[in-house]
Amino acid sequence: MKNNGLCPKMEKATDLLGMRWNLLIVYQLLTGPKRFSIIEASIPISGRLLSERLKHLEKENIVSREIYPEVPVRVEYTLTEKGKALESIIAGIGIWSHAFE
């Protein structure tokens, strides 16, 4: 990260949350675990990009990936505690955006 006077943790958070689609993916998962196809159908994003974003969110411990040994294999994504903690932030952004319509 570049040294621009911001707190490094704040800069990392804004980079992560400012990455296109990340907040919408988290928003979709606030209601519970979802399969890839359900997330993909709910937001206008390509499967490749959604996969990339989910991997990044998983690496940052915001999303967890559960693989069920079924035929066909079932994969579900869910929020971790760190991811669930974003709910109040997302709600705050919603309130703020409605206040200035």
Side-chain angles (χ1 to χ4, degrees):
M1 287 185 207
K2 50 195 170 292
N3 184 3
N4 57 9
L6 287 178
C7 169
K9 289 184 180 186
M10 177 68 167
E11 186 174 0
K12 182 175 181 177
T14 55
D15 286 348
L16 178 67
L17 299 177
M19 190 176 290
R20 189 164 188 185
W21 305 115
N22 280 358
L23 278 179
L24 287 175
I25 293 167
V26 171
Y27 178 77
Q28 291 300 314
L29 293 172
L30 285 173
T31 57
K34 301 253 184 330
R35 295 178 82 163
F36 184 92
S37 59
I38 299 299
I39 301 168
E40 185 178 27
S42 67
I43 54 179
I45 186 173
S46 72
R48 183 189 61 75
L49 186 55
L50 176 58
S51 178
E52 178 184 303
R53 293 296 190 258
L54 285 167
K55 286 177 187 173
H56 188 250
L57 290 169
E58 186 178 9
K59 179 181 168 214
E60 294 294 333
N61 195 33
I62 292 173
V63 169
S64 67
R65 182 175 178 247
E66 181 84 27
I67 302 170
Y68 296 91
E70 301 172 354
V71 177
V73 174
R74 178 170 52 111
V75 178
E76 287 186 343
Y77 296 88
T78 189
L79 293 176
T80 62
E81 288 304 311
K82 183 178 178 182
K84 290 175 187 174
L86 292 169
E87 185 171 13
S88 62
I89 294 168
I90 292 171
I93 291 171
I95 291 167
W96 175 81
S97 66
H98 284 36
F100 296 100
E101 286 184 8

